[in-house]
Amino acid sequence: MPLFYGTEIRSRLLLGTARYSSPAVLAEAVRRSRTDVVTVSLRRETAGGRQGGAFFELIRELGVRVLPNTAGCHSVAEAVLTAKMARDVFETDWIKLEVIGHQDTLQPDVFGLVEGARILTGEGFEVFPYTTDDLVVAERLLEAGCKVLMPWCAPIGSAMGPQNMQGLRAMRAEFPDVPLIVDAGIGRPSHATTVMELGYDAVLLNTAVAGAADPAAMAEAFAMAIDAGYAAHGAGMLEPRDMAVPSTPVIGKAVFS
C-alpha cells in the first residue's frame, strides 16, 4: 500500500469532494470508491457558512483522512495563509499545495510552488505539490522538502487524459523511490489505468466522478481501473513490438503433403 509521509493508506485512489449534487451523492461515491483520503478546499467550504460545518461533519462520519488543498490560490502568500488556516481547522499537517499561474489552463506557477513548498515544509507541513511533469521543477520541490510529487496529466477538469506520456514515464524513471500521484485531467477509468501501468503510486481525481451521470458507479469503476493498472505494472507487461509474433508454436505443427 502507498506510504505518504510515513502514513500507509489502503487505497490508491484519492478523491476530491467538490461539485457533487448533494452530500448523499458524495457520501455514496466515497464509500464505493473505497478511498480513505479525500481532498477538501477550505476556501469553498468555509464560504458556505452553516453548510460548511455540515460538510465537515459529513467527512468525519465517513471516517476518511482529509487532505486540505489551497485550490484557487494565485500567490504564494495566499496559499501559505490558506494552508495555515486549514491546519487549524482539520488538525493535520498534510496540505495539497496549489499555486495557480495561468487562468485559462490552471497550470501551476512552478516558481511560486517551489517557494511556497519551502516555506510550508519549514513550518512542519507535509506538502503534496500540484505540479507539472517537468523534471527540474520536481527536483527543486524535493530539495524544498517535499516527499511526494503530484504531476498533472492534463489541465484540471479537462478530462483529456494523459497528454505527455513520455514526460510521465520519465518522471517515474527519474524518481523511482518518490511517491508519485497523478493529479488533474483524468476523465475516464482507462486514463487512470494507463498512468498506473507506468508505475505511479496513486491517482487523485474529482471532476470525472462528480460530473458523471452516476458518480457512485463511476467512483467504483475508477477504483477497479486503478487496481487493474497497478496490478498490470507489477505483473510485467509486454512491450510493443514492430512485427507480428505467433502465439501458437510453429515447431511440431502438422505437415500436410
Side-chain angles (χ1 to χ4, degrees):
M1 289 291 98
L3 195 67
F4 301 136
Y5 289 101
T7 299
E8 185 177 86
I9 65 172
R10 299 186 303 273
S11 171
R12 296 181 183 275
L13 170 58
L14 288 68
L15 196 62
T17 57
R19 299 183 179 275
Y20 289 86
S21 59
S22 72
V25 171
L26 167 60
E28 185 61 19
V30 169
R31 292 188 185 98
R32 290 181 63 176
S33 73
R34 304 193 306 275
T35 187
D36 54 354
V37 177
V38 298
T39 61
V40 174
S41 170
L42 178 70
R43 174 190 306 243
R44 179 176 65 85
E45 297 309 330
T46 53
R50 293 182 180 179
Q51 291 183 353
F55 175 84
F56 296 149
E57 185 59 35
L58 169 64
I59 296 300
R60 294 188 185 96
E61 291 174 357
L62 290 172
V64 291
R65 184 175 185 121
V66 173
L67 173 59
N69 67 40
T70 62
C73 293
H74 290 257
S75 71
V76 174
E78 188 180 16
V80 169
L81 176 60
T82 301
K84 291 179 178 179
M85 293 171 61
R87 179 158 64 179
D88 289 342
V89 171
F90 295 107
E91 300 179 344
T92 179
D93 291 326
W94 279 18
I95 189 72
K96 178 189 170 186
L97 179 61
E98 295 184 27
V99 183
I100 301 302
H102 192 273
Q103 185 61 45
D104 292 334
T105 65
L106 302 182
Q107 181 170 329
D109 172 356
V110 295
F111 304 101
L113 183 66
V114 172
E115 180 184 351
R118 184 173 290 111
I119 292 170
L120 291 174
T121 57
E123 298 194 18
F125 282 90
E126 296 174 331
V127 178
F128 294 68
Y130 163 60
T131 184
T132 65
D133 52 25
D134 187 290
L135 298 181
V136 177
V137 175
E139 189 65 51
R140 296 294 181 270
L141 287 167
L142 295 175
E143 291 171 357
C146 297
K147 296 182 180 179
V148 175
L149 297 173
M150 302 180 70
W152 72 346
C153 73
I156 293 173
S158 68
M160 292 191 296
Q163 298 298 290
N164 184 6
M165 286 292 290
Q166 184 54 39
L168 292 173
R169 186 178 289 109
M171 179 168 283
R172 179 71 285 177
E174 184 72 15
F175 306 108
D177 300 321
V178 176
L180 299 179
I181 304 170
V182 172
D183 177 24
I186 286 178
R188 301 181 179 185
S190 57
H191 297 160
T193 300
T194 297
V195 297
M196 292 301 291
E197 287 175 349
L198 297 177
Y200 276 72
D201 297 283
V203 167
L204 193 161
L205 52 88
N206 186 167
T207 308
V209 170
D214 186 339
M218 186 61 74
E220 187 172 17
F222 268 107
M224 293 187 289
I226 289 168
D227 286 345
Y230 178 77
H233 175 77
M237 298 175 294
L238 288 177
E239 292 300 320
R241 299 162 174 167
D242 58 4
M243 61 183 295
V245 177
S247 57
T248 302
V250 175
I251 297 175
K253 71 176 182 179
V255 178
F256 298 94
S257 57

